[in-house]
Amino acid sequence: MARHAAGAIRRDQQLSTFLGRPVKYVVIAVLLAIILFPLYWLVSNSFKPEQEYYHKPPIMVPIHPTTQNFVDIVVNRGLFTGLKNSLLIAVFTTLCTVLFGSLASYALVNGVLPRRLKHVFAWWFLIQKMYPAIVVAVPVFYIIRSLQLMDRVAALVLMNTSFNLPLVILLMVGFYQEAPFEVEEQSMLDGCNLLQRWFYITTPMVRAGMIATGMLTFVASWNEFLYAVILTIVRAKPLTVLIAGFITDKALVWGPMAAMGCVVVLPVVVIMWAMQRDFVSGVSAGALKG
Protein backbone atom coordinates (compact mmCIF):
# COMPACT_ATOMS: atom_id res chain seq x y z
CA MET A 1 0.00 0.00 0.00
CA ALA A 2 2.86 2.37 0.87
CA ARG A 3 4.55 1.56 -2.46
CA HIS A 4 1.30 2.28 -4.30
CA ALA A 5 0.92 5.65 -2.52
CA ALA A 6 4.54 6.58 -3.27
CA GLY A 7 4.02 5.74 -6.95
CA ALA A 8 0.89 7.91 -7.08
CA ILE A 9 2.79 10.83 -5.52
CA ARG A 10 5.61 10.47 -8.05
CA ARG A 11 3.15 10.41 -10.96
CA ASP A 12 1.42 13.52 -9.60
CA GLN A 13 4.77 15.28 -9.31
CA GLN A 14 5.73 14.29 -12.86
CA LEU A 15 2.39 15.54 -14.18
CA SER A 16 2.80 18.84 -12.33
CA THR A 17 6.33 19.28 -13.68
CA PHE A 18 5.30 18.42 -17.25
CA LEU A 19 2.18 20.57 -17.45
CA GLY A 20 2.72 23.09 -14.68
CA ARG A 21 0.23 23.93 -11.98
CA PRO A 22 -1.64 26.64 -13.95
CA VAL A 23 -2.33 24.27 -16.84
CA LYS A 24 -3.46 21.54 -14.46
CA TYR A 25 -5.86 23.91 -12.73
CA VAL A 26 -7.26 25.06 -16.06
CA VAL A 27 -7.85 21.44 -17.14
CA ILE A 28 -9.61 20.67 -13.83
CA ALA A 29 -11.75 23.82 -14.16
CA VAL A 30 -12.78 22.89 -17.72
CA LEU A 31 -13.68 19.34 -16.70
CA LEU A 32 -15.72 20.61 -13.73
CA ALA A 33 -17.56 23.03 -16.00
CA ILE A 34 -18.39 20.24 -18.45
CA ILE A 35 -19.66 18.02 -15.64
CA LEU A 36 -21.59 20.67 -13.68
CA PHE A 37 -23.12 22.66 -16.55
CA PRO A 38 -25.97 20.14 -17.25
CA LEU A 39 -26.86 20.25 -13.54
CA TYR A 40 -26.80 24.06 -13.58
CA TRP A 41 -28.98 24.12 -16.70
CA LEU A 42 -31.47 21.80 -15.02
CA VAL A 43 -31.73 24.02 -11.93
CA SER A 44 -31.86 27.17 -14.05
CA ASN A 45 -34.75 25.91 -16.21
CA SER A 46 -36.69 24.85 -13.14
CA PHE A 47 -36.92 28.52 -12.06
CA LYS A 48 -37.71 30.00 -15.48
CA PRO A 49 -41.19 31.05 -16.59
CA GLU A 50 -42.47 29.55 -19.84
CA GLN A 51 -41.48 32.46 -22.09
CA GLU A 52 -37.87 32.25 -20.90
CA TYR A 53 -37.14 28.56 -21.46
CA TYR A 54 -38.53 28.88 -25.00
CA HIS A 55 -36.49 32.03 -25.66
CA LYS A 56 -33.93 32.16 -28.49
CA PRO A 57 -31.05 32.59 -27.89
CA PRO A 58 -31.22 30.64 -24.60
CA ILE A 59 -31.30 32.65 -21.39
CA MET A 60 -28.52 31.43 -19.13
CA VAL A 61 -29.77 33.04 -15.91
CA PRO A 62 -33.51 33.41 -15.18
CA ILE A 63 -34.55 37.04 -15.63
CA HIS A 64 -37.82 36.64 -13.75
CA PRO A 65 -37.29 33.60 -11.49
CA THR A 66 -40.40 31.82 -10.34
CA THR A 67 -41.36 28.82 -8.22
CA GLN A 68 -44.49 28.13 -10.24
CA ASN A 69 -42.91 25.03 -11.82
CA PHE A 70 -42.45 23.47 -8.38
CA VAL A 71 -46.00 24.40 -7.39
CA ASP A 72 -47.24 22.76 -10.59
CA ILE A 73 -45.53 19.42 -9.92
CA VAL A 74 -46.83 19.40 -6.34
CA VAL A 75 -50.42 20.31 -7.17
CA ASN A 76 -50.98 18.79 -10.61
CA ARG A 77 -48.28 16.17 -11.22
CA GLY A 78 -48.42 13.93 -8.16
CA LEU A 79 -44.95 14.75 -6.84
CA PHE A 80 -45.44 13.37 -3.33
CA THR A 81 -46.96 10.12 -4.56
CA GLY A 82 -44.08 9.58 -6.97
CA LEU A 83 -41.53 10.51 -4.31
CA LYS A 84 -43.09 8.06 -1.86
CA ASN A 85 -43.07 5.28 -4.47
CA SER A 86 -39.45 5.97 -5.44
CA LEU A 87 -38.31 5.94 -1.81
CA LEU A 88 -40.17 2.72 -1.03
CA ILE A 89 -38.78 1.01 -4.13
CA ALA A 90 -35.20 2.14 -3.55
CA VAL A 91 -35.11 1.49 0.21
CA PHE A 92 -36.73 -1.95 0.16
CA THR A 93 -34.73 -3.00 -2.89
CA THR A 94 -31.50 -1.98 -1.16
CA LEU A 95 -32.38 -3.81 2.05
CA CYS A 96 -33.43 -7.01 0.27
CA THR A 97 -30.50 -6.97 -2.15
CA VAL A 98 -27.83 -6.35 0.48
CA LEU A 99 -29.33 -8.94 2.85
CA PHE A 100 -29.73 -11.76 0.34
CA GLY A 101 -26.59 -10.77 -1.57
CA SER A 102 -24.40 -10.87 1.53
CA LEU A 103 -25.86 -14.22 2.56
CA ALA A 104 -25.27 -15.69 -0.89
CA SER A 105 -21.74 -14.31 -1.21
CA TYR A 106 -20.82 -15.54 2.26
CA ALA A 107 -22.15 -18.99 1.38
CA LEU A 108 -20.07 -18.99 -1.80
CA VAL A 109 -16.93 -18.12 0.16
CA ASN A 110 -17.34 -20.11 3.38
CA GLY A 111 -20.21 -22.48 2.66
CA VAL A 112 -20.12 -26.24 2.25
CA LEU A 113 -20.68 -26.21 -1.53
CA PRO A 114 -18.00 -27.88 -3.68
CA ARG A 115 -15.46 -25.47 -5.12
CA ARG A 116 -16.42 -26.27 -8.72
CA LEU A 117 -20.08 -25.58 -8.01
CA LYS A 118 -19.15 -22.25 -6.43
CA HIS A 119 -17.37 -21.26 -9.65
CA VAL A 120 -20.45 -22.27 -11.66
CA PHE A 121 -22.64 -20.03 -9.51
CA ALA A 122 -20.16 -17.16 -9.82
CA TRP A 123 -20.16 -17.43 -13.61
CA TRP A 124 -23.95 -17.63 -13.66
CA PHE A 125 -24.24 -14.39 -11.65
CA LEU A 126 -21.80 -12.73 -14.04
CA ILE A 127 -23.75 -13.87 -17.10
CA GLN A 128 -26.96 -12.46 -15.63
CA LYS A 129 -25.41 -8.97 -15.67
CA MET A 130 -24.37 -9.23 -19.32
CA TYR A 131 -27.69 -9.39 -21.16
CA PRO A 132 -29.90 -6.28 -21.47
CA ALA A 133 -32.96 -6.12 -19.27
CA ILE A 134 -35.32 -5.56 -22.23
CA VAL A 135 -34.64 -9.13 -23.39
CA VAL A 136 -36.85 -10.58 -20.64
CA ALA A 137 -39.40 -7.75 -20.54
CA VAL A 138 -42.24 -9.79 -22.09
CA PRO A 139 -41.96 -12.85 -19.79
CA VAL A 140 -41.52 -10.57 -16.78
CA PHE A 141 -44.71 -8.72 -17.71
CA TYR A 142 -46.69 -11.96 -17.96
CA ILE A 143 -45.28 -13.29 -14.68
CA ILE A 144 -46.03 -10.09 -12.76
CA ARG A 145 -49.53 -9.95 -14.24
CA SER A 146 -50.22 -13.58 -13.35
CA LEU A 147 -49.10 -12.85 -9.77
CA GLN A 148 -51.53 -9.88 -9.70
CA LEU A 149 -48.74 -7.46 -8.85
CA MET A 150 -49.28 -4.99 -11.68
CA ASP A 151 -49.11 -1.33 -10.61
CA ARG A 152 -47.73 -2.23 -7.19
CA VAL A 153 -44.52 -1.21 -5.47
CA ALA A 154 -43.83 -4.84 -4.59
CA ALA A 155 -43.46 -5.71 -8.30
CA LEU A 156 -40.71 -3.12 -8.79
CA VAL A 157 -38.97 -4.14 -5.57
CA LEU A 158 -38.98 -7.74 -6.78
CA MET A 159 -37.63 -6.86 -10.23
CA ASN A 160 -34.98 -4.42 -9.00
CA THR A 161 -33.82 -6.94 -6.42
CA SER A 162 -33.50 -9.69 -9.02
CA PHE A 163 -31.51 -7.48 -11.40
CA ASN A 164 -29.19 -5.96 -8.79
CA LEU A 165 -28.59 -9.15 -6.80
CA PRO A 166 -25.94 -10.69 -9.13
CA LEU A 167 -23.78 -7.56 -9.02
CA VAL A 168 -24.02 -7.32 -5.23
CA ILE A 169 -23.06 -10.98 -4.86
CA LEU A 170 -20.04 -10.58 -7.13
CA LEU A 171 -18.87 -7.49 -5.25
CA MET A 172 -19.44 -8.92 -1.78
CA VAL A 173 -17.59 -12.14 -2.59
CA GLY A 174 -14.36 -10.14 -2.80
CA PHE A 175 -14.93 -8.55 0.61
CA TYR A 176 -15.76 -11.83 2.32
CA GLN A 177 -12.71 -13.52 0.76
CA GLU A 178 -10.43 -10.94 2.36
CA ALA A 179 -11.98 -11.22 5.83
CA PRO A 180 -9.54 -13.10 8.13
CA PHE A 181 -10.77 -16.66 8.52
CA GLU A 182 -8.79 -17.13 11.73
CA VAL A 183 -11.39 -15.10 13.62
CA GLU A 184 -14.09 -17.40 12.31
CA GLU A 185 -12.13 -20.45 13.38
CA GLN A 186 -12.00 -19.12 16.92
CA SER A 187 -15.77 -18.57 16.87
CA MET A 188 -16.26 -22.12 15.56
CA LEU A 189 -14.40 -23.39 18.60
CA ASP A 190 -16.91 -21.45 20.72
CA GLY A 191 -19.79 -23.25 19.01
CA CYS A 192 -20.99 -20.63 16.47
CA ASN A 193 -22.79 -22.05 13.45
CA LEU A 194 -22.56 -20.70 9.88
CA LEU A 195 -25.36 -18.16 10.26
CA GLN A 196 -24.03 -16.88 13.58
CA ARG A 197 -20.54 -16.48 12.12
CA TRP A 198 -21.99 -14.50 9.21
CA PHE A 199 -24.01 -12.17 11.44
CA TYR A 200 -21.74 -11.66 14.45
CA ILE A 201 -18.21 -12.19 13.10
CA THR A 202 -17.69 -11.66 9.38
CA THR A 203 -20.34 -9.13 8.38
CA PRO A 204 -19.13 -6.41 10.81
CA MET A 205 -15.67 -6.75 9.25
CA VAL A 206 -17.03 -6.02 5.74
CA ARG A 207 -19.29 -3.14 6.79
CA ALA A 208 -17.65 -0.70 4.36
CA GLY A 209 -18.24 -3.07 1.46
CA MET A 210 -21.90 -3.51 2.40
CA ILE A 211 -22.39 0.26 2.53
CA ALA A 212 -20.74 0.75 -0.87
CA THR A 213 -22.79 -1.98 -2.56
CA GLY A 214 -25.92 -0.75 -0.80
CA MET A 215 -25.44 2.77 -2.11
CA LEU A 216 -24.83 1.50 -5.64
CA THR A 217 -28.03 -0.53 -5.39
CA PHE A 218 -29.98 2.44 -4.05
CA VAL A 219 -28.89 4.67 -6.93
CA ALA A 220 -29.63 1.97 -9.52
CA SER A 221 -33.10 1.37 -8.06
CA TRP A 222 -33.82 5.09 -7.75
CA ASN A 223 -32.93 5.67 -11.41
CA GLU A 224 -34.60 2.55 -12.84
CA PHE A 225 -37.00 3.38 -15.67
CA LEU A 226 -37.58 0.43 -18.00
CA TYR A 227 -39.56 -1.90 -15.74
CA ALA A 228 -41.11 1.04 -13.90
CA VAL A 229 -42.77 2.01 -17.19
CA ILE A 230 -43.80 -1.54 -18.03
CA LEU A 231 -45.15 -2.60 -14.63
CA THR A 232 -46.86 0.58 -13.39
CA ILE A 233 -50.06 2.28 -14.49
CA VAL A 234 -51.13 4.93 -11.96
CA ARG A 235 -50.63 4.13 -8.26
CA ALA A 236 -47.02 2.84 -8.23
CA LYS A 237 -45.41 5.28 -10.67
CA PRO A 238 -42.01 6.44 -9.39
CA LEU A 239 -40.48 9.83 -10.18
CA THR A 240 -38.59 8.55 -13.23
CA VAL A 241 -41.86 7.60 -14.92
CA LEU A 242 -43.53 10.87 -13.91
CA ILE A 243 -40.74 12.79 -15.64
CA ALA A 244 -41.39 10.89 -18.87
CA GLY A 245 -45.01 12.07 -18.67
CA PHE A 246 -43.92 15.61 -19.50
CA ILE A 247 -43.10 14.48 -23.05
CA THR A 248 -46.42 14.72 -24.85
CA ASP A 249 -47.58 14.67 -28.47
CA LYS A 250 -48.09 18.45 -28.36
CA ALA A 251 -44.98 19.76 -26.61
CA LEU A 252 -42.27 19.11 -24.09
CA VAL A 253 -43.06 20.87 -20.82
CA TRP A 254 -39.57 22.07 -19.94
CA GLY A 255 -40.14 23.98 -16.71
CA PRO A 256 -42.08 21.41 -14.65
CA MET A 257 -39.92 18.64 -16.07
CA ALA A 258 -36.77 20.46 -14.91
CA ALA A 259 -38.34 21.02 -11.49
CA MET A 260 -39.15 17.32 -11.23
CA GLY A 261 -35.60 16.53 -12.31
CA CYS A 262 -34.24 18.63 -9.43
CA VAL A 263 -36.38 16.65 -7.00
CA VAL A 264 -35.09 13.37 -8.48
CA VAL A 265 -31.45 14.41 -8.22
CA LEU A 266 -31.57 15.96 -4.75
CA PRO A 267 -32.06 12.83 -2.54
CA VAL A 268 -29.26 10.94 -4.28
CA VAL A 269 -26.88 13.90 -3.94
CA VAL A 270 -27.72 14.31 -0.24
CA ILE A 271 -27.27 10.60 0.51
CA MET A 272 -24.00 10.36 -1.40
CA TRP A 273 -22.68 13.48 0.33
CA ALA A 274 -23.71 12.25 3.78
CA MET A 275 -22.14 8.81 3.32
CA GLN A 276 -19.24 9.68 1.03
CA ARG A 277 -16.57 8.57 3.49
CA ASP A 278 -18.05 5.10 3.93
CA PHE A 279 -18.67 4.83 0.19
CA VAL A 280 -15.13 5.84 -0.79
CA SER A 281 -13.56 3.59 1.84
CA GLY A 282 -15.67 0.65 0.66
CA VAL A 283 -14.87 1.20 -3.01
CA SER A 284 -11.17 1.73 -2.22
CA ALA A 285 -11.07 -1.44 -0.14
CA GLY A 286 -12.68 -3.36 -2.98
CA ALA A 287 -10.18 -1.96 -5.47
CA LEU A 288 -7.22 -2.86 -3.27
CA LYS A 289 -8.57 -6.36 -2.67
CA GLY A 290 -9.07 -6.87 -6.39
Side-chain angles (χ1 to χ4, degrees):
M1 187 180 299
R3 186 181 303 173
H4 177 76
I9 294 173
R10 284 196 298 270
R11 286 193 297 271
D12 183 69
Q13 292 174 348
Q14 292 171 359
L15 183 63
S16 301
T17 303
F18 177 72
L19 295 178
R21 287 187 178 274
V23 176
K24 186 168 67 172
Y25 291 149
V26 169
V27 171
I28 293 174
V30 170
L31 292 176
L32 282 176
I34 294 173
I35 294 171
L36 295 178
F37 179 76
L39 184 60
Y40 165 77
W41 192 247
L42 176 70
V43 176
S44 175
N45 280 338
S46 68
F47 289 100
K48 291 179 183 177
E50 184 175 358
Q51 62 271 21
E52 290 189 13
Y53 56 74
Y54 282 127
H55 190 273
K56 291 184 180 180
I59 298 176
M60 301 300 295
V61 180
I63 300 174
H64 304 287
T66 178
T67 58
Q68 183 58 40
N69 295 322
F70 292 93
V71 174
D72 183 25
I73 63 175
V74 171
V75 176
N76 302 320
R77 306 288 181 169
L79 171 65
F80 291 125
T81 301
L83 182 61
K84 180 193 69 174
N85 292 334
S86 293
L87 285 173
L88 288 175
I89 293 167
V91 169
F92 280 104
T93 298
T94 302
L95 293 176
C96 293
T97 305
V98 172
L99 174 62
F100 297 130
S102 60
L103 283 169
S105 57
Y106 181 77
L108 287 175
V109 174
N110 296 325
V112 295
L113 296 175
R115 185 174 182 180
R116 182 174 298 181
L117 186 57
K118 291 180 181 180
H119 286 296
V120 171
F121 277 121
W123 276 104
W124 173 244
F125 295 139
L126 184 61
I127 291 172
Q128 283 186 306
K129 294 302 297 180
M130 290 182 178
Y131 63 82
I134 191 64
V135 172
V136 294
V138 174
V140 164
F141 175 80
Y142 281 108
I143 292 172
I144 295 298
R145 190 178 66 174
S146 64
L147 294 175
Q148 298 182 356
L149 292 177
M150 287 295 297
D151 201 22
R152 294 190 180 183
V153 170
L156 295 178
V157 172
L158 179 63
M159 291 312 305
N160 285 327
T161 300
S162 65
F163 278 102
N164 287 290
L165 196 57
L167 178 61
V168 172
I169 293 174
L170 290 173
L171 292 175
M172 290 301 299
V173 162
F175 292 105
Y176 280 114
Q177 285 177 339
E178 293 299 321
F181 189 70
E182 292 78 8
V183 181
E184 286 200 48
E185 289 180 332
Q186 294 178 2
S187 64
M188 292 169 64
L189 295 176
D190 294 333
C192 290
N193 56 34
L194 188 66
L195 186 61
Q196 290 173 330
R197 298 201 306 271
W198 167 79
F199 185 79
Y200 293 108
I201 306 300
T202 310
T203 297
M205 291 189 289
V206 297
R207 173 179 173 272
M210 295 186 71
I211 291 176
T213 54
M215 293 181 68
L216 292 175
T217 303
F218 183 90
V219 173
S221 304
W222 183 268
N223 296 332
E224 204 280 327
F225 176 74
L226 176 62
Y227 283 99
V229 171
I230 297 173
L231 302 178
T232 61
I233 303 173
V234 178
R235 294 177 301 174
K237 282 186 175 181
L239 291 176
T240 51
V241 177
L242 292 180
I243 289 179
F246 292 105
I247 305 174
T248 67
D249 57 342
K250 297 180 180 179
L252 200 159
V253 189
W254 288 102
M257 185 174 68
M260 188 76 78
C262 291
V263 176
V264 173
V265 170
L266 185 60
V268 177
V269 172
V270 171
I271 291 174
M272 293 295 289
W273 176 79
M275 304 187 68
Q276 58 179 326
R277 291 185 178 179
D278 292 318
F279 179 75
V280 172
S281 62
V283 172
S284 302
L288 292 175
K289 291 170 186 175

